[in-house]
Amino acid sequence: MNKNSSGIVYSLLGIYALMISWHYNHSVVLLIVHYIFWPVYLVYELLTGHLSHDLWRTIPESYFK
């Protein structure tokens, strides 16, 4: 991966973390906090199992339906 494509992947993962945060919390304050610490938040969500049972896919799909 070159520098440009890794930056795009990093940005898309950040947006993905914000989508998950809004799905579970519906709070602007928590959205801002999760925006600042999104890599930690994304790992936390993965480790606690909030994205299991196909939720990793259905949460982003719910925004585009």
Side-chain angles (χ1 to χ4, degrees):
M1 277 169 90
N2 59 19
K3 189 175 183 177
N4 290 335
S5 62
S6 64
I8 292 171
V9 171
Y10 189 80
S11 299
L12 289 176
L13 284 174
I15 292 169
Y16 181 70
L18 294 178
M19 292 168 80
I20 293 167
S21 173
W22 186 258
H23 177 78
Y24 283 120
N25 301 313
H26 292 284
S27 169
V28 175
V29 174
L30 284 176
L31 192 70
I32 292 169
V33 170
H34 293 152
Y35 174 72
I36 295 169
F37 300 109
W38 75 261
V40 176
Y41 177 70
L42 192 57
V43 170
Y44 168 77
E45 289 294 322
L46 287 169
L47 291 176
T48 57
H50 288 154
L51 298 177
S52 61
H53 303 292
D54 212 26
L55 280 176
W56 65 272
R57 187 180 55 138
T58 55
I59 291 172
E61 283 180 355
S62 68
Y63 289 102
F64 298 107
K65 287 185 178 181

